[in-house]
Amino acid sequence: MKKIIAVFGTRPEAVKMCPLILELKKRECFEVKVCLTGQHRELLDSVTELFGIKADYDLSVMKKDQTLIDMTARIIDGAEWVFAEEKPDLVLVHGDTSSAFAASLAAFYMKIPVGHVEAGLRTYDISSPYPEEFNRRAISMTSSIDFAPTEAARENLIKEGKAPDRIFVTGNTVVDALNFTAKEVQTDEKLLLLTAHRRESIGEGMRKIFSAVRSIARKYPDFKIVYPVHPNPAVRKIAEEILGGEENIELCEPLDLKEFHSLLARSYLVMTDSGGVQEEASALGKPCLVLRDKTERREGGSLLLVGTNEKEILSAFERLVDDKEFYDSIKNAPNPFGDGKASERIADILERI
Ligand code: UD1
Ligand code: UDP
């Protein structure tokens, strides 16, 4: 029996790791342990509860206004203790967060093999997304088996010299998660769903994004804009300052995953700087304005990279609303990010190797 420890700590990792953990737990050849870093708290707990995942360990590292250094150090420290206690055959991490980076580094130092889920995403700009582009590249240096969501991600890893026979294209487990939350019938209501939280945008970039959103709200009063605001106090401050008090903008607390997916399914379009939301929008055929200067999800789908420029955001929105043919062409673009069977594929591969 192989012992696998899955380590994660933020909302997006939980969304994408929980379906895989459920799949691994079904198989008798694995002993699966879950170690939460607690990098996030309420955002994380609401997802693990939804999937019915109980943690074996919880490092509970989150602090208000945590710094990258502080949380990384505490996760490495906690992970060392957990790995020494459990002596796993494999540590599974996901994506590019501080939790994933710190856990993979601890495993590497302890000579424990690392499996990387959602491996190979790159912008090749170390400052965008920050610090995730560093984290994901560093994790690739520690991992001995990589699960790439797309062929393009696999090619990135091969270009960087990783052994092709240890890289598997599996699709993204985010589509497995979408299949888990019962979806409602899709509609295209006059609803704009917004999310924004990236560290590199906090400040000028985020101000420009929110100013564009405010202009849209005023110019299109028949549109309702819903923004579940990330709990990061720095994000909340700018959101309330620029978007607060607008009649057709609802600033709300983060929604639980089911609610968020159902709102997404009802939206006309999405604006986001999130990674996971880009993939979900593509999977549900929702046009998505990507509020970043660079994206690692270049495969397309229903994504339009608009950056943080106020004019560009506004004109992309106007085109989607005014030009039905354009809207439909984006909406009907094929989804490159997965087919809902990624967890099964990853578990099959782990069983085989
Ligand atoms: C982190 C990830 C980022 C991911 C994002 C998802 C890193 C470096 N960044 O972002 O890749 O896109 O999570 O949301 O790992 N907070 C709460 N409750 C929560 C979660 C956060 O109060 O449940 C507040 C805390 O004050 C915390 C702040 O939000 O200090 C920021 O959280 P943090 O995990 O540091 O967020 P990011 O680095 O922005
Ligand atoms: N999400 C959610 N509630 C919200 C906003 C987002 O459940 O109010 C989910 C969303 O469906 C996606 C994930 O959070 O699966 C994305 O997380 P986030 O945007 O925080 O991080 P990223 O993907 O950018 O790393």
Side-chain angles (χ1 to χ4, degrees):
M1 183 126 85
K2 289 180 207 160
K3 188 190 273 190
I4 298 178
I5 297 195
V7 187
F8 57 97
T10 65
R11 172 173 64 190
E13 295 167 275
V15 171
K16 294 165 171 181
M17 284 293 258
C18 286
L20 175 57
I21 290 164
L22 292 181
E23 182 63 37
L24 292 172
K25 279 182 182 262
K26 275 195 223 157
R27 309 199 180 198
E28 283 176 0
C29 57
F30 300 125
E31 182 186 355
V32 184
K33 300 272 172 169
V34 174
C35 172
L36 302 179
T37 66
Q39 177 179 336
H40 287 176
R41 192 67 281 164
E42 58 282 11
L43 295 188
L44 174 69
D45 296 344
S46 89
V47 181
T48 51
E49 272 163 32
L50 175 71
F51 283 89
I53 303 274
K54 295 251 179 310
D56 299 286
Y57 297 91
D58 192 336
L59 307 179
S60 295
V61 301
M62 197 191 89
K63 283 187 188 159
K64 189 167 177 273
D65 290 323
Q66 58 204 2
T67 67
L68 295 172
I69 293 169
D70 179 39
M71 76 176 149
T72 303
R74 280 180 297 131
I75 296 166
I76 295 175
D77 203 32
E80 178 184 19
W81 185 86
V82 172
F83 298 164
E85 184 84 1
E86 289 291 343
K87 300 183 179 52
D89 298 299
L90 182 76
V91 169
L92 263 189
V93 297
H94 178 280
D96 52 22
T97 65
S98 294
S99 290
F101 164 62
S104 74
L105 185 61
F108 177 71
Y109 283 165
M110 295 173 81
K111 298 198 159 59
I112 302 166
V114 172
H116 190 194
V117 182
E118 199 184 80
L121 272 63
R122 298 287 185 269
T123 59
Y124 291 109
D125 176 349
I126 202 76
S127 61
S128 176
Y130 173 87
E132 290 82 0
E133 177 72 7
F134 165 80
N135 288 345
R136 52 170 79 122
R137 288 198 225 168
I139 295 167
S140 294
M141 294 179 74
T142 69
S143 58
S144 52
I145 179 160
D146 291 308
F147 302 105
T150 63
E151 192 53 50
R154 179 171 189 269
E155 280 163 20
N156 289 338
L157 294 168
I158 292 172
K159 269 192 276 171
E160 290 168 21
K162 297 214 75 175
D165 62 342
R166 305 288 289 180
I167 311 167
F168 301 90
V169 178
T170 58
N172 199 309
T173 54
V174 76
V175 185
D176 310 16
L178 269 174
N179 291 342
F180 183 89
T181 58
K183 277 197 300 291
E184 290 173 15
V185 184
Q186 289 208 36
T187 53
D188 302 330
E189 294 169 28
K190 289 207 162 175
L191 186 67
L192 161 58
L193 182 57
L194 168 71
T195 83
H197 71 277
R198 299 238 79 83
R199 275 180 190 257
E200 71 273 10
S201 295
I202 294 174
E204 204 41 41
M206 204 165 272
R207 284 179 182 280
K208 287 193 287 178
I209 293 171
F210 293 160
S211 296
V213 171
R214 188 175 53 193
S215 302
I216 290 168
R218 290 179 181 173
K219 198 165 171 195
Y220 294 85
D222 52 338
F223 256 86
K224 177 163 185 203
I225 301 174
V226 180
Y227 176 19
V229 188
H230 196 281
N232 189 335
V235 175
R236 297 207 147 188
K237 192 164 174 285
I238 309 175
E240 273 151 27
E241 191 187 309
I242 301 178
L243 301 175
E246 295 293 319
E247 223 165 80
N248 52 339
I249 300 182
E250 185 184 331
L251 300 181
C252 59
E253 286 303 311
L255 301 173
D256 87 22
L257 188 66
K258 259 187 177 198
E259 263 183 288
F260 187 82
H261 284 170
S262 122
L263 202 61
L264 188 56
R266 291 196 284 119
S267 299
Y268 192 76
L269 83 165
V270 189
M271 284 191 188
T272 192
D273 64 6
S274 157
V277 177
Q278 290 181 56
E279 294 150 351
E280 292 167 344
S282 266
L284 294 179
K286 296 292 173 180
C288 175
L289 301 185
V290 181
L291 307 166
R292 298 186 186 189
D293 296 323
K294 303 260 168 59
T295 181
E296 55 292 281
R297 289 156 174 94
R298 275 168 295 186
E299 292 86 347
S302 65
L303 312 179
L304 293 171
L305 189 65
V306 292
T308 56
N309 181 288
E310 223 175 311
K311 275 196 186 138
E312 265 191 57
I313 297 171
L314 196 55
S315 76
F317 176 86
E318 283 175 347
R319 189 162 178 216
L320 280 171
V321 171
D322 297 339
D323 183 346
K324 183 78 171 78
E325 210 175 301
F326 178 63
Y327 179 85
D328 287 339
S329 70
I330 301 290
K331 186 178 170 54
N332 296 323
N335 169 37
F337 298 116
D339 61 0
K341 294 200 165 69
S343 303
E344 240 175 271
R345 286 191 195 100
I346 295 170
D348 286 348
I349 294 159
L350 288 174
E351 228 180 284
R352 217 169 55 228
I353 60 166

